[in-house]
Amino acid sequence: MIEETYWHPVALRGDVESQPLAVTLLGHPLVLWRDASHVVHAWADQCPHRGARLSLGQVRDGKLVCAYHGWQFAGSGQCTLVPALPDFKPPAAHCAKTFQAREAYGLVWVRMATQPSLAEANLASPIGPAFAALPDFSAEESSELRKVNCGPYDVATSAPRIVENFLDMAHFGFVHDGWLGTRSATAIGDYQVEASPTGLTATECKAWQPQSNLLSRAPALVEYTYEVTAPYAAVLTKLPDPASMGSVAQTALTGQANRYHESIALFICPLEPDLSRVWFRLAVADLTSTDSQLRDFQHTIFMQDKPILESQIPKLLPLNSGAELHTPADRASSAYRRHLKKLGITFGVIQ
Ligand code: FES
Ligand code: CO
């Protein structure tokens, strides 16, 4: 599956501590754990001896110890001790199934494709080598912006339905009435959508927002840019009209109001085709609110989206353009569907 050649988020970094953690990615049970050097590992959650879940085991002296017969595994996956035969030197084939793991954006990321052929096929794709990289989040590099993670949220729908909702402005006045939109201004102006190596970029997206963020003190015409950065990841960047901003925000920025912007990354772990785990990574200029206030705002907004997302039928995103109805206001979502189809994505979609 092409999906396996991408990096996917699986857990908050801080949730992988001294003991193994069971997670799921693309329908596969995985175990995450840290060795003595604090390096994170992601393996199939299945002991190669008799198939017990490694996540039931323990980390001792930098090794993962299976709960069933106590086999010990080093960070490389190699079995180093079989307690029933203390003098036996396990051969190289006595090895756990390992995947690539790394940490970024406050999360642990895993890439399951270990066969070089699949990875090479991906690199050789006409859409370019961006697949091999983590989803881009350029706001991460900005020292002026504060970073906060929200989630996880488990949502009973496919990852592509959640990305599509994130790109959708026409629901603001209904689902987020009084917050990100209002029923008195529901028209969507023209916006531009361009294909990008990782998906698409939508620009000149404008929304009249009563409460675009925690510090908003007056409604504002907010301009959005959306980027699809991976099949199951997207970023929005908002540039509110500075004149509409409240004094708190002005003060927080000490005269840099015209540079006030925020980016929100949507990172989704596709657990099952119709079940997803969602995190948001906020990069905001708000230096006054607490982390929990920032999370509460995002929580309020996403709890408005969640029942709608879980109500959508079918849960898998239909890529056949005849399956649902489209208008020019939906051009970002239509472009996203075309992109997934072109990539050959199969997990969470109906081809
Ligand atoms: Fe893991 Fe036997 S099943 S040690
Ligand atoms: Co919404």
Side-chain angles (χ1 to χ4, degrees):
M1 289 201 304
I2 188 82
E3 295 85 331
E4 295 182 348
T5 65
Y6 290 86
W7 290 100
H8 299 285
V10 291
L12 288 170
R13 296 175 73 158
D15 287 347
V16 189
E17 292 178 333
S18 57
Q19 291 311 321
L21 179 72
V23 298
T24 302
L25 174 59
L26 295 167
H28 298 279
L30 307 183
V31 57
L32 306 180
W33 66 283
R34 286 186 194 276
D35 65 22
S37 316
H38 228 63
V39 174
V40 71
H41 300 284
W43 297 355
D45 194 5
Q46 182 181 2
C47 181
H49 178 221
R50 287 293 179 267
R53 286 210 177 229
L54 289 169
S55 56
L56 295 177
Q58 289 192 326
V59 179
R60 284 219 201 99
D61 301 326
K63 303 229 171 66
L64 184 55
V65 183
C66 180
Y68 196 1
H69 310 97
W71 286 27
Q72 295 188 6
F73 298 90
S76 63
Q78 176 65 46
C79 176
T80 56
L81 179 71
V82 174
L85 287 174
D87 297 329
F88 173 68
K89 185 168 183 324
H94 284 43
C95 192
K97 183 164 176 49
T98 63
F99 301 111
Q100 294 166 285
R102 57 186 293 190
E103 297 176 65
Y105 312 135
L107 297 161
V108 176
W109 296 76
V110 174
R111 185 161 63 170
M112 300 189 70
T114 48
Q115 299 150 302
S117 55
L118 196 51
E120 278 161 24
N122 186 16
L123 285 167
S125 133
I127 307 168
F131 295 80
L134 283 173
D136 189 43
F137 186 42
S138 54
E140 188 76 19
E141 311 308 324
S142 168
S143 56
E144 287 171 22
L145 298 174
R146 206 172 133 196
K147 321 300 181 320
V148 178
N149 279 30
C150 312
Y153 295 104
D154 284 1
V155 185
T157 194
S158 62
R161 283 281 194 198
I162 301 168
V163 172
E164 201 174 78
N165 172 65
F166 190 76
L167 303 175
D168 181 290
M169 288 184 295
H171 78 285
F172 285 176
F174 297 91
V175 177
H176 306 296
D177 185 19
W179 297 78
L180 304 184
T182 165
R183 284 195 195 214
S184 57
T186 54
I188 299 298
D190 264 353
Y191 63 97
Q192 310 303 317
V193 179
E194 277 183 25
S196 77
T198 59
L200 63 91
T201 303
T203 52
E204 297 171 49
C205 309
K206 295 188 192 71
W208 181 253
Q209 302 199 318
Q211 176 85 46
S212 70
N213 63 38
L214 202 53
L215 297 182
S216 305
R217 291 293 177 271
L221 185 68
V222 181
E223 184 165 340
Y224 279 62
T225 297
Y226 291 104
E227 295 160 275
V228 171
T229 52
Y232 312 130
V235 174
L236 74 78
T237 302
K238 294 183 184 191
L239 298 164
D241 171 3
S244 69
M245 286 171 31
S247 57
V248 178
Q250 301 275 5
T251 308
L253 286 155
T254 57
Q256 298 183 44
N258 59 342
R259 296 172 63 189
Y260 185 90
H261 62 291
E262 58 190 11
S263 286
I264 301 177
L266 168 73
F267 294 134
I268 309 175
C269 178
L271 300 171
E272 303 293 344
D274 58 358
L275 182 65
S276 306
R277 186 162 291 170
V278 173
W279 291 271
F280 297 97
R281 175 85 163 160
L282 311 183
V284 294
D286 176 349
L287 305 178
T288 54
S289 306
T290 64
D291 283 5
S292 68
Q293 285 173 316
L294 289 168
R295 287 195 185 102
D296 285 351
F297 182 86
Q298 194 63 25
H299 181 83
T300 300
I301 299 295
F302 194 59
M303 287 305 103
Q304 294 166 347
D305 288 308
K306 191 169 178 269
I308 300 282
L309 281 168
E310 295 187 328
S311 80
Q312 285 176 283
I313 297 170
K315 289 183 183 295
L316 308 190
L317 189 72
L319 299 187
N320 174 348
S321 62
E324 294 185 334
L325 302 177
H326 315 279
T327 74
D330 304 315
R331 70 181 77 109
S333 88
S334 297
Y336 175 61
R337 292 181 186 203
R338 285 194 299 275
H339 176 69
L340 294 183
K341 191 164 189 152
K342 186 168 157 195
L343 287 182
I345 293 290
T346 59
F347 200 89
V349 303
I350 302 167
Q351 286 281 356

